[in-house]
Amino acid sequence: MKASQFFISTLKEAPADAEVVSHKLMMRAGMIKKLGAGVYNYMPIGLRVIRKVEAIVREEMNRAGAIEVTMPVVQPAELWQETGRFEKMGPELLRIKDRHDRDFVIQPTSEEVVTDIARQELRSYKQLPKNFYQIQTKFRDERRPRFGLMRGREFIMKDAYSFDRDQAAAKASYQVMAQAYRRIFDRFGLTYRAVAADSGAIGGDLSEEFQVIAATGEDAIVYCPSSDYAANIEKAEALAPAGPRPAPAQALTKTPTPGKSTCADVAELLGLPLAQTVKSLVLATDTLNEHGEVAKSQVWLLLLRGDHDMNEVKVGKLPGMEGGFRFATVAEIEDHFGCKPGYLGPLNLQKPVKVVADREVAVLADWVCGANEVDFHLTGVNWGRDLPEPELVADLRNVVAGDASPDGQGVLAIERGIEVGHVFYLGTKYSKAMNATFLGEDGKPAHFEMGCYGIGVTRLPAAAIEQNHDERGIIWPDAIAPFTVVICPIGMDRSAEVKAAAEKLHDELAALGVDVLLDDRGERPGAMFADWELIGVPHRVVLSDRGLKEGQVEYQHRRDTAASKLALADVLSFLKERVAV
Amino acid sequence: MKASQFFISTLKEAPADAEVVSHKLMMRAGMIKKLGAGVYNYMPIGLRVIRKVEAIVREEMNRAGAIEVTMPVVQPAELWQETGRFEKMGPELLRIKDRHDRDFVIQPTSEEVVTDIARQELRSYKQLPKNFYQIQTKFRDERRPRFGLMRGREFIMKDAYSFDRDQAAAKASYQVMAQAYRRIFDRFGLTYRAVAADSGAIGGDLSEEFQVIAATGEDAIVYCPSSDYAANIEKAEALAPAGPRPAPAQALTKTPTPGKSTCADVAELLGLPLAQTVKSLVLATDTLNEHGEVAKSQVWLLLLRGDHDMNEVKVGKLPGMEGGFRFATVAEIEDHFGCKPGYLGPLNLQKPVKVVADREVAVLADWVCGANEVDFHLTGVNWGRDLPEPELVADLRNVVAGDASPDGQGVLAIERGIEVGHVFYLGTKYSKAMNATFLGEDGKPAHFEMGCYGIGVTRLPAAAIEQNHDERGIIWPDAIAPFTVVICPIGMDRSAEVKAAAEKLHDELAALGVDVLLDDRGERPGAMFADWELIGVPHRVVLSDRGLKEGQVEYQHRRDTAASKLALADVLSFLKERVAV
């Protein structure tokens, strides 16, 4: 490819609305162009990267036995009504009406449509397993789209759906995908982790996120440097503390803490470690009557150490929380605690509440909590002595760095990641809702066991940039670079020798299957180099009259700090060895 | 590819709503699956065909110097308001609102968005010419979607847009595309014609349709078997008759024609050729006032021979018709002719009308027309004697087979076609509406000269089937077949020899780059052959125990009436020669 026949359009400055580095660099490199909020044109450079991502995904999905289909972008609402998602999903599901006033949605995913295909096409257990996938435009009407392709509204996703005869077979299909995803992410050339994720009510370990590691990532990833344990923060278990609870050493004391309504303030005032304080989180669950109205509410008191954060996923799994929970209202709090928030605790309640203690709180002695009286806390609080043992002890918190690894192999570390893939065991959630069955070996109809598997095709380049960039621009891994090698001839318009050598090298590399671009635009060297460093082509060869006189060219990898000289005669074999084709 | 790892799902009967043969066969072959009216899943077999079409289109577009981008499916309404299409287009433009109640459209084409890209990115004449294209999902909310992918609502189109500095350059860009389209359609392996089409108000010859020839086509194509003239029926000119008008030979006579209100009935009653009768078409044009209300109307009388049909495109170009026309109301007709429709004519009018005669009518003598009196016609009518010479003589009709070719090279023939491509010179229509300019060589801003170029990617397979099928199913050209070669082993499960030979042949063909499928499903021969004849794979090789004992296989092209024997040793070289890779 020659630059003069391509379209290169770089910017010195990123537009003001680009907040994160990948968004800025994609705009500056001319990869994308904003059309509206969260809606982008994929410009030639960007589309090349996207196509390479798609090709790798497609190859590995096919290799894993998945079968490509394409489901419509515009989907009739009927199927979405069968599963209830048409009503239940929030406004991120874009609902539209056609000219006949019939309801449609723009697909954000395609569980309903693929399950509809399966219930029509897969009639016997003999046809199973099957895995259908598509690489297709999706739309999610984000309330606040931002960060470019990281959180856009229209995007390209690869979504796959497996159909199996039973749970064992579904787990095998899940593992096939989990392995295929590892091959895919290995091929992208990115540093990533496959982390255990929460699989909702189904339980088990059949949900993994593929996280591209980047300091700017929005997700916290928990891993153990001395084992292969990795999970997202929602999922990672905080083990029960090893030792027993110390014996009480202090007397229960009511202490004035005027204006100190946070654990941190109280700890500071009293000169105690934050880990000695206990925070009180007041939640509520509602029971509905047959008309869907709240019949009665239960108030919960969750106790966590002052230095710990509540984990909503774990809390949502407590017995009694199945129907969801909410934070209690101030009225409910005052009614039960006789005190406003900021000074709450489990002692001296006005009305009974359900108390759940985090595992770490359950082993504390001589702790501090609110006195249920404004401007007062209690110190020297002890379970069994000052209040009954907690009704329920559970893991309620996010792990922190230094916690013991759940696999018993060391301590946990935390880093940031960007989720670009997800494999998930669905069970019979959709097949039951849509009554999608096949005839089993016993001649009886059975519901499909399903899994779903997504990769954010247009999100991946953004994640790759968050991980791989410097102050000059993007640094692509070979596999998804818009071009793998760029040839930069200096003075091509003046020197027939430079022109001939550049074109020869271009043709030879292209013949080897290398994705090479010859920059024949006639830009000055500084501008030319700046463009390619911004765009992030990994391998650069510079040809000049002076160099060629000595039979030499200059080679620089995008990560190198300086160019190195190379004999023109050796450049082909040199690149052949280093460049991924 | 092995059938057991793929998805094959054929039907004995087409669903009742499939009206045309391509729709029936695509449903029966398992290429597509209906999701809603005009909305289809592309199933694995169908998607393979679509991908091959896309690959050929992409290769030739790139070869022609066009640059691939992707524009969003969901587009903000603002740009569409700039050109006025948001308001002007009919309900086939799907208008939607996002969660913030902002207006969007689902793209049916992308002139607005690409012109917006150009006005931002192409700042100087030095950057021209440029041609941006995309292969992307489109949506047109057809009132009555039907015929499967032939007239669906969601479809895939390749749309390209060229930007040039002046008309001469735009015409050159147009010619580059017209040539690329010929290469593309040649490669598809279909019989097609590039026919001149009407280019609207712009005039000139810069609009061609690419029509796949098929008896079932909805478009009439005019061509000259003895030259390369070809046009669609809207465009093809009916030349002025060669000879002079004969002298009057009959007297003007009012003849009773009770109940005979059509030319055909009148000709039959009077025993005259239909070509001697003249039909009266009454049209009207309206002049609007500043409030957009009709200020006054002009009534027109168009005279055509009884055996000819009016051509609306040609009529729309008459001087005075620029603002569009309509058929006159019965009230207007009775007001001007003093008679109801069925017995109208240009003599004895109540009020003056504007008379336009078709070229063929202008040279008639002794003709027949309505007497402007119910149940009466006039015979022996002659121009100049019985009524004034026509105010205007013009080409008002569709050509018919046997008409002289406009290029003077013989006579015209007519066949049917399916439009699958269109190249069109747009001029400055969009660039002026959106004030899209570049800096010219003279330093002054100038509007882009544009062209647009479409190919119906998902329509093409339907057109290919309309042209290539028989009672057993589809007959694909090699280039766009879902598989080029199918290997059908008989008794593969019983015979290790058949299995080994089939797998060896599969691997050898695959290594040559042949798109081969091995049918290892274990179906009985009859069912297996019927599937592949329905799906339409062009080359079939059958292996059996008995044949292999004699060192032979059976080969049959999908168009052959019987299989021929072939030495197993020769099959590779035989296929290598016949199969397009």
Side-chain angles (χ1 to χ4, degrees):
Chain A
M1 172 81 74
K2 293 186 179 176
S4 59
Q5 290 154 13
F6 191 62
F7 185 75
I8 295 154
S9 174
T10 56
L11 294 173
K12 285 250 184 301
E13 300 289 339
D17 69 345
E19 296 170 54
V20 296
V21 69
S22 59
H23 188 189
K24 286 178 189 166
L25 289 176
M26 287 179 107
M27 297 294 290
R28 287 190 53 208
M31 290 182 65
I32 56 174
K33 198 164 181 63
K34 186 175 176 178
L35 181 59
V39 177
Y40 292 86
N41 295 301
Y42 306 143
M43 297 297 286
I45 295 251
L47 189 59
R48 286 184 76 88
V49 174
I50 292 168
R51 291 268 185 263
K52 289 192 182 184
V53 172
E54 287 180 353
I56 288 173
V57 170
R58 183 172 283 124
E59 245 180 76
E60 294 299 338
M61 290 302 291
N62 291 347
R63 191 198 305 267
I67 298 164
E68 190 173 3
V69 298
T70 301
M71 293 175 268
V73 173
V74 178
Q75 303 186 344
E78 282 81 0
L79 295 175
W80 288 74
Q81 285 158 344
E82 278 192 56
T83 61
R85 289 212 293 174
F86 188 75
E87 291 78 21
K88 272 184 234 155
M89 271 187 82
E92 70 273 14
L93 177 66
L94 191 57
R95 295 160 176 89
I96 61 180
K97 283 184 187 287
D98 76 355
R99 65 191 290 163
H100 302 299
D101 216 36
R102 291 196 198 100
D103 287 315
F104 285 78
V105 306
I106 311 264
Q107 65 164 343
T109 58
S110 266
E111 281 84 356
E112 281 80 359
V113 172
V114 79
T115 305
D116 182 53
I117 292 174
R119 71 179 166 184
Q120 292 178 62
E121 292 287 342
L122 306 177
R123 286 170 297 263
S124 158
Y125 71 95
K126 290 180 196 161
Q127 291 172 279
L128 304 179
K130 276 285 178 296
N131 185 328
F132 293 114
Y133 78 97
Q134 65 175 346
I135 300 176
Q136 172 72 318
T137 303
K138 306 285 190 305
F139 198 93
R140 280 188 199 160
D141 201 359
E142 297 274 355
R143 193 175 60 82
R144 198 184 151 205
R146 53 188 172 154
F147 305 155
L149 299 197
M150 194 77 88
R151 192 166 290 284
R153 296 202 286 178
E154 185 168 321
F155 55 98
I156 300 174
M157 187 168 85
K158 187 284 294 173
D159 44 330
Y161 307 90
S162 61
F163 295 88
D164 278 283
R165 57 189 292 185
D166 56 29
Q167 231 180 65
K171 286 179 182 178
S173 290
Y174 172 92
Q175 292 304 340
V176 167
M177 277 296 106
Q179 286 312 312
Y181 270 48
R182 282 171 171 77
R183 280 196 302 274
I184 289 169
F185 285 93
D186 285 345
R187 286 184 62 183
F188 287 151
L190 300 174
T191 305
Y192 73 95
R193 276 187 202 277
V195 309
D198 181 60
S199 52
I202 293 162
D205 279 334
L206 295 176
S207 173
E208 279 166 284
E209 290 169 0
F210 287 75
Q211 294 267 3
V212 169
I213 305 305
T216 53
E218 61 184 356
D219 293 340
I221 300 170
V222 179
Y223 68 103
C224 176
S226 48
S227 77
D228 61 0
Y229 178 84
N232 67 15
I233 195 87
E234 285 76 30
K235 166 82 175 174
E237 185 185 359
L239 292 181
R245 185 196 296 159
Q250 301 175 10
L252 180 66
T253 311
K254 185 168 143 190
T255 309
T257 51
K260 308 295 180 189
S261 61
T262 69
C263 285
D265 289 347
V266 171
E268 198 191 350
L269 176 74
L270 304 178
L272 289 172
L274 188 56
Q276 204 63 28
T277 64
V278 168
K279 62 180 149 194
S280 296
L281 298 168
V282 189
L283 306 180
T285 51
D286 298 320
T287 310
L288 304 183
N289 66 14
E290 58 197 0
H291 307 298
E293 295 149 356
V294 176
K296 62 172 187 194
S297 297
Q298 167 73 52
V299 171
W300 301 59
L301 173 61
L302 269 54
L303 299 172
L304 279 96
R305 248 174 43 187
D307 58 337
H308 287 155
D309 290 326
M310 182 176 88
N311 182 310
E312 294 198 14
V313 170
K314 293 175 181 177
V315 170
K317 291 187 173 178
L318 292 175
M321 289 285 189
E322 297 82 1
F325 65 86
R326 58 179 173 84
F327 284 93
T329 63
V330 172
E332 284 170 328
I333 290 172
E334 292 185 341
D335 186 35
H336 287 76
F337 294 82
C339 177
K340 68 172 188 176
Y343 304 90
L344 305 181
L347 282 76
N348 305 319
L349 294 164
Q350 299 282 315
K351 285 187 186 170
V353 298
K354 202 159 176 178
V355 176
V356 188
D358 181 64
R359 288 168 170 171
E360 291 286 350
V361 171
V363 298
L364 279 185
D366 303 326
W367 40 284
V368 176
C369 64
N372 288 336
E373 188 178 335
V374 171
D375 291 342
F376 285 94
H377 279 76
L378 300 174
T379 61
V381 184
N382 281 282
W383 293 110
R385 186 191 74 181
D386 308 323
L387 74 172
E389 292 290 338
E391 293 170 55
L392 185 62
V393 176
D395 175 17
L396 303 179
R397 69 176 176 97
N398 287 337
V399 295
V400 293
D403 277 344
S405 175
D407 67 356
Q409 303 289 305
V411 295
L412 294 176
I414 293 185
E415 62 190 351
R416 311 295 300 177
I418 300 163
E419 186 191 343
V420 287
H422 199 159
V423 291
F424 196 93
Y425 166 63
L426 282 171
T428 54
K429 179 178 170 188
Y430 289 92
S431 58
K432 281 194 174 148
M434 296 178 66
N435 197 26
T437 62
F438 61 96
L439 277 188
E441 206 163 354
D442 57 4
K444 290 178 188 157
H447 290 103
F448 294 103
E449 285 279 342
M450 291 173 57
C452 68
Y453 315 95
I455 290 179
V457 169
T458 41
R459 192 176 213 214
L460 187 107
I465 294 171
E466 291 293 336
Q467 182 179 88
N468 300 282
H469 66 272
D470 61 17
E471 69 291 349
R472 289 172 295 158
I474 305 167
I475 309 173
W476 290 109
D478 283 15
I480 56 173
F483 299 97
T484 325
V485 177
V486 60
I487 301 172
C488 296
I490 295 179
M492 188 167 169
D493 46 344
R494 287 176 274 110
S495 162
E497 199 187 352
V498 168
K499 185 169 191 290
E503 285 177 349
K504 182 161 176 278
L505 182 59
H506 170 271
D507 294 350
E508 286 170 341
L509 283 168
L512 286 174
V514 174
D515 189 12
V516 58
L517 183 112
L518 168 59
D519 191 346
D520 59 348
R521 294 176 299 165
E523 295 280 343
R524 284 173 306 104
M528 179 162 58
F529 295 167
D531 270 353
W532 296 113
E533 286 172 351
L534 173 58
I535 294 168
V537 171
H539 306 273
R540 185 179 80 195
V541 179
V542 178
L543 289 85
S544 66
D545 239 344
R546 194 163 51 176
L548 289 177
K549 280 205 179 75
E550 294 163 13
Q552 285 186 325
V553 303
E554 285 192 348
Y555 168 82
Q556 187 167 356
H557 188 277
R558 180 64 181 77
R559 290 196 187 277
D560 294 344
T561 48
S564 47
K565 293 196 174 178
L566 204 63
L568 177 62
D570 296 338
V571 65
L572 213 60
S573 60
F574 175 87
L575 285 173
K576 214 166 141 178
E577 211 167 274
R578 326 205 132 203
V579 168
V581 174
Chain B
M1 173 80 73
K2 293 185 179 177
S4 59
Q5 290 155 12
F6 192 60
F7 186 75
I8 295 155
S9 175
T10 56
L11 294 172
K12 285 249 182 302
E13 301 288 339
D17 69 344
E19 296 171 54
V20 296
V21 69
S22 59
H23 188 189
K24 286 178 188 165
L25 289 175
M26 288 178 106
M27 296 294 289
R28 286 189 55 208
M31 291 181 65
I32 56 174
K33 198 161 181 65
K34 186 174 174 175
L35 181 60
V39 177
Y40 292 86
N41 295 300
Y42 305 144
M43 297 297 287
I45 295 251
L47 189 59
R48 286 184 75 87
V49 174
I50 291 167
R51 292 269 185 263
K52 288 193 181 184
V53 172
E54 287 180 353
I56 288 173
V57 170
R58 182 173 284 124
E59 244 180 76
E60 295 298 339
M61 290 302 292
N62 291 347
R63 191 198 305 269
I67 297 164
E68 191 173 3
V69 299
T70 301
M71 293 175 268
V73 173
V74 178
Q75 303 186 344
E78 283 80 2
L79 295 175
W80 288 74
Q81 286 158 343
E82 278 193 54
T83 61
R85 289 213 292 174
F86 187 75
E87 291 78 21
K88 273 185 231 152
M89 271 186 83
E92 70 274 13
L93 178 66
L94 192 57
R95 296 159 176 90
I96 61 181
K97 281 183 186 290
D98 76 354
R99 66 191 290 163
H100 302 298
D101 216 38
R102 292 196 198 101
D103 288 314
F104 285 78
V105 305
I106 311 264
Q107 65 163 342
T109 59
S110 267
E111 280 84 356
E112 281 80 359
V113 173
V114 79
T115 304
D116 181 53
I117 291 174
R119 71 180 167 185
Q120 293 178 62
E121 292 287 343
L122 306 177
R123 287 170 294 264
S124 157
Y125 71 95
K126 290 180 198 160
Q127 290 172 278
L128 304 180
K130 276 285 177 296
N131 185 328
F132 293 115
Y133 78 97
Q134 64 173 346
I135 300 177
Q136 171 73 316
T137 302
K138 308 285 190 305
F139 198 93
R140 282 188 197 160
D141 200 0
E142 298 273 354
R143 193 174 60 83
R144 199 185 151 205
R146 54 188 171 153
F147 305 155
L149 299 197
M150 194 77 88
R151 190 166 292 284
R153 294 203 283 178
E154 184 168 320
F155 56 97
I156 300 174
M157 186 167 86
K158 187 284 295 174
D159 44 330
Y161 307 89
S162 62
F163 295 88
D164 278 283
R165 58 189 291 186
D166 56 28
Q167 231 181 63
K171 285 178 183 179
S173 290
Y174 172 93
Q175 292 303 341
V176 167
M177 277 295 107
Q179 286 311 312
Y181 270 48
R182 282 170 172 77
R183 280 197 302 274
I184 290 169
F185 285 93
D186 285 345
R187 285 185 62 184
F188 287 151
L190 301 174
T191 305
Y192 74 94
R193 275 184 203 281
V195 309
D198 182 59
S199 53
I202 294 162
D205 279 333
L206 295 175
S207 173
E208 280 168 283
E209 291 169 1
F210 288 75
Q211 295 267 2
V212 168
I213 304 306
T216 53
E218 61 184 357
D219 293 340
I221 301 170
V222 179
Y223 69 102
C224 177
S226 46
S227 77
D228 61 358
Y229 178 83
N232 67 14
I233 195 88
E234 285 76 30
K235 166 83 175 175
E237 184 185 1
L239 293 182
R245 184 198 296 159
Q250 299 175 11
L252 179 67
T253 310
K254 184 169 145 188
T255 308
T257 51
K260 307 298 181 188
S261 62
T262 69
C263 285
D265 288 347
V266 171
E268 196 192 351
L269 175 75
L270 304 180
L272 289 172
L274 187 56
Q276 204 63 27
T277 65
V278 168
K279 61 180 151 195
S280 296
L281 299 167
V282 189
L283 306 180
T285 50
D286 299 320
T287 311
L288 304 182
N289 66 16
E290 60 197 0
H291 307 298
E293 297 149 356
V294 175
K296 65 174 184 186
S297 297
Q298 167 72 50
V299 172
W300 300 60
L301 174 61
L302 269 54
L303 300 173
L304 281 96
R305 248 171 45 184
D307 57 338
H308 287 154
D309 290 326
M310 183 177 90
N311 182 308
E312 294 197 14
V313 170
K314 292 176 182 177
V315 170
K317 291 188 174 179
L318 292 175
M321 289 282 190
E322 296 81 2
F325 65 86
R326 59 179 173 84
F327 284 92
T329 64
V330 172
E332 284 171 327
I333 290 171
E334 292 184 342
D335 186 35
H336 287 76
F337 294 81
C339 177
K340 69 173 188 174
Y343 304 90
L344 305 180
L347 282 75
N348 305 319
L349 295 164
Q350 299 279 317
K351 284 187 186 172
V353 299
K354 202 159 176 177
V355 177
V356 189
D358 181 66
R359 287 167 172 172
E360 291 286 349
V361 171
V363 298
L364 279 186
D366 302 328
W367 38 284
V368 177
C369 65
N372 288 336
E373 187 178 337
V374 170
D375 290 344
F376 284 93
H377 278 76
L378 299 175
T379 62
V381 184
N382 281 281
W383 294 110
R385 187 191 73 181
D386 307 324
L387 75 170
E389 292 292 338
E391 292 170 54
L392 185 61
V393 176
D395 175 16
L396 302 180
R397 68 178 176 97
N398 287 336
V399 296
V400 293
D403 276 344
S405 175
D407 66 356
Q409 303 289 304
V411 294
L412 295 175
I414 293 185
E415 62 190 351
R416 311 296 300 180
I418 300 163
E419 187 191 341
V420 286
H422 200 158
V423 291
F424 196 94
Y425 166 62
L426 281 170
T428 54
K429 180 179 168 185
Y430 289 90
S431 57
K432 282 196 174 146
M434 296 179 65
N435 197 26
T437 61
F438 61 95
L439 277 188
E441 207 164 352
D442 58 3
K444 290 181 189 157
H447 290 102
F448 294 104
E449 285 279 342
M450 292 173 57
C452 67
Y453 316 94
I455 290 179
V457 169
T458 41
R459 194 176 211 215
L460 188 107
I465 294 171
E466 292 292 336
Q467 182 179 89
N468 300 283
H469 67 272
D470 61 17
E471 68 292 349
R472 290 172 294 159
I474 305 166
I475 309 174
W476 290 109
D478 284 15
I480 56 174
F483 299 98
T484 325
V485 176
V486 60
I487 300 172
C488 296
I490 295 178
M492 186 165 170
D493 45 343
R494 287 175 275 112
S495 165
E497 199 187 352
V498 168
K499 185 168 189 289
E503 286 177 349
K504 181 161 177 276
L505 182 59
H506 169 272
D507 295 349
E508 286 171 340
L509 282 169
L512 285 175
V514 174
D515 189 13
V516 58
L517 182 112
L518 168 58
D519 190 347
D520 60 348
R521 294 176 299 164
E523 294 279 344
R524 284 172 306 102
M528 178 162 59
F529 295 168
D531 270 354
W532 295 113
E533 285 172 351
L534 172 58
I535 293 168
V537 171
H539 304 273
R540 184 178 81 195
V541 179
V542 179
L543 289 87
S544 67
D545 240 344
R546 192 162 53 176
L548 289 177
K549 282 203 177 76
E550 295 164 13
Q552 286 185 325
V553 302
E554 285 193 347
Y555 168 82
Q556 187 168 355
H557 189 277
R558 181 64 183 77
R559 288 195 187 277
D560 294 343
T561 48
S564 47
K565 293 195 173 177
L566 205 62
L568 176 62
D570 297 339
V571 64
L572 213 61
S573 61
F574 175 87
L575 286 173
K576 213 166 141 179
E577 211 166 274
R578 326 204 132 201
V579 168
V581 174

